């Protein structure tokens, strides 16, 4: 009887232990779910690990600042704002551009900002934020003629200048069929042609246009963009995961704040000036 009581007691104790383990397991499951949230992980770590390829000015490039080589540029301005809103520091992982998506997928980096265009192939591999920059194709014209180009078709009746070897040159010649376009190797040479009245318009990227209309007299940026189908867009990339939702929402919130405050174009202009100092 004594032996039986002992056996019953041990059995009861084992059942109670299993019950407690079950309760503990349920609690840990909830904790693990919370810990797995990427936004909370970044905040807990106190740093945002950013993948980039610092050889693409003015988006990201290396520059000596106060005797120390640092990664600077347009994307860095955006990164610092994102990190500030999260209350964390920035840690860069610089690598070849074609290694960035693999770095996200392996967890080596938390986010990628590197002038990455969210095309359909990349969307299959990673998640993206909202677009934070579109480097539209714009027209530089003589000041006072900002309405000269209302649509791409108007370019066909004008003397057009483009930088040789660019997507804009390919667009103007092959898409629009303007074989007579003046193709020069340097933007400054095109600007002089425009100032001297030898061409009517320069088609170039928005980031390039912004800095050049500041440098040269009697020129301005036209009011209409052209060639939207070949425009370069940029978005932040994230590992494809259900745990990234709040992280992506936070980054999108920062992007919207900067766009609403007209800070994005300001940062691109600052980055372009930094690049020209090199």
């Amino acid at each position: 009887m004594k032996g039986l009581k002992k056996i019953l007691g041990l059995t009861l104790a084992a059942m109670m232990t299993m019950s407690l383990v079950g309760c503990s397991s349920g609690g840990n499951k909830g904790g693990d779910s919370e810990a797995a949230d990427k936004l909370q992980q970044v905040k807990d770590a106190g740093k945002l690990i950013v993948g980039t390829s610092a050889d693409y000015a003015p988006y990201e490039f290396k520059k000596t600042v106060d005797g120390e080589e640092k990664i600077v540029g347009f994307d860095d301005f955006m990164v610092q704002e994102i990190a500030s809103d999260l209350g964390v520091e920035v840690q860069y992982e610089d690598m070849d551009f074609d290694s960035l998506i693999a770095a996200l997928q392996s967890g080596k980096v938390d986010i990628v900002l590197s002038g990455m265009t969210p095309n359909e192939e990349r969307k299959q591999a990673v998640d993206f934020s909202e677009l934070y920059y579109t480097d539209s194709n714009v027209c530089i014209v003589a000041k006072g003629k900002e309405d000269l180009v209302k649509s791409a078709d108007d370019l066909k009746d004008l003397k057009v200048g483009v930088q040789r070897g660019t997507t804009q040159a390919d667009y103007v010649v092959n898409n629009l069929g303007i074989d007579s376009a003046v193709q020069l190797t340097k933007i400054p040479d095109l600007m002089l042609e425009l100032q001297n009245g030898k061409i009517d318009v320069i088609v170039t990227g928005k980031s390039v246009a912004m800095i050049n209309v500041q440098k040269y007299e009697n020129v301005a940026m036209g009011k209409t963009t052209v060639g939207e189908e070949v425009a370069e867009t940029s978005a932040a990339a994230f590992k494809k995961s259900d745990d990234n939702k709040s992280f992506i929402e936070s980054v999108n919130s920062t992007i919207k704040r900067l766009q609403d405050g007209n800070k994005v174009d300001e940062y691109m202009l600052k980055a372009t000036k930094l690049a020209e100092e090199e």
Side-chain angles (χ1 to χ4, degrees):
M1 191 69 179
K2 225 170 147 185
L4 180 59
K5 284 183 179 179
K6 185 174 181 179
I7 292 172
L8 289 172
L10 290 171
T11 301
L12 181 60
M15 291 175 65
M16 290 177 67
T17 300
M18 290 176 66
S19 176
L20 288 171
V21 169
C23 291
S24 175
S25 176
N28 285 339
K29 185 176 181 180
D32 289 343
S33 177
E34 183 179 351
D37 180 84
K38 188 62 180 179
L39 178 62
Q40 192 60 50
Q41 284 184 8
V42 170
K43 288 184 175 182
D44 289 345
K47 62 183 177 181
L48 180 66
I49 304 176
V50 182
T52 195
S53 182
D55 57 1
Y56 191 50
Y59 286 85
E60 52 272 324
F61 54 101
K62 293 177 180 177
K63 185 178 180 66
T64 301
V65 180
D66 298 328
E68 181 183 353
E69 188 179 67
K70 294 184 177 181
I71 292 175
V72 298
F74 172 63
D75 281 331
D76 178 61
F77 287 128
M78 301 296 293
V79 164
Q80 298 299 336
E81 292 279 4
I82 291 168
S84 178
D85 284 351
L86 294 175
V88 299
E89 301 295 323
V90 174
Q91 176 183 317
Y92 276 113
E93 292 291 335
D94 185 26
M95 62 192 75
D96 292 340
F97 187 83
D98 59 6
S99 299
L100 290 170
I101 287 180
L104 271 177
Q105 293 173 327
S106 67
K108 183 177 181 179
V109 299
D110 300 318
I111 189 172
V112 163
L113 275 90
S114 194
M116 184 173 285
T117 299
N119 59 31
E120 290 306 315
E121 181 181 356
R122 289 171 182 156
K123 286 179 181 179
Q124 299 300 314
V126 296
D127 289 330
F128 283 99
S129 69
E130 298 294 333
L131 296 179
Y132 60 82
Y133 192 72
T134 298
D135 197 11
S136 309
N137 295 310
V138 299
C139 298
I140 302 176
V141 295
K143 190 169 287 185
K145 295 185 177 180
E146 289 85 349
D147 290 318
L148 181 65
V149 179
K150 295 182 175 64
S151 72
D153 284 340
D154 291 336
L155 292 170
K156 298 176 182 179
D157 299 319
L158 299 171
K159 295 177 183 178
V160 181
V162 287
Q163 187 176 22
R164 185 177 292 123
T166 62
T167 56
Q168 291 84 16
D170 182 69
Y171 167 72
V172 165
V173 175
N174 296 320
N175 290 50
L176 299 181
I178 306 176
D179 296 326
S180 62
V182 175
Q183 299 192 50
L184 302 179
T185 57
K186 296 180 180 180
I187 289 291
D189 293 336
L190 287 168
M191 296 300 294
L192 291 176
E193 293 289 282
L194 178 63
Q195 287 183 316
N196 293 332
K198 293 184 178 180
I199 57 176
D200 301 313
V201 58
I202 299 168
V203 178
T204 189
K206 184 179 179 182
S207 59
V208 173
M210 283 194 300
I211 189 62
N212 280 282
V213 297
Q214 299 291 326
K215 288 175 59 178
Y216 293 88
E217 295 181 351
N218 301 317
V219 297
M221 195 183 303
K223 294 181 179 178
T224 304
T225 59
V226 295
E228 285 80 6
E229 64 270 33
V230 294
E232 184 177 72
T233 59
S234 298
F238 309 81
K239 182 178 181 179
K240 192 173 282 293
S241 169
D242 293 337
D243 299 319
N244 278 341
K245 184 178 180 181
S246 59
F247 186 28
I248 296 173
E249 287 175 351
S250 177
V251 172
N252 282 339
S253 177
T254 299
I255 291 171
K256 186 177 187 307
R257 173 176 66 78
L258 296 175
Q259 289 174 334
D260 290 347
N262 298 317
K263 298 293 289 184
V264 176
D265 285 345
E266 177 186 324
Y267 284 156
M268 179 54 82
L269 182 58
K270 287 176 66 176
T272 303
K273 287 181 177 179
L274 274 175
E276 289 195 338
E277 292 171 2
E278 291 295 291

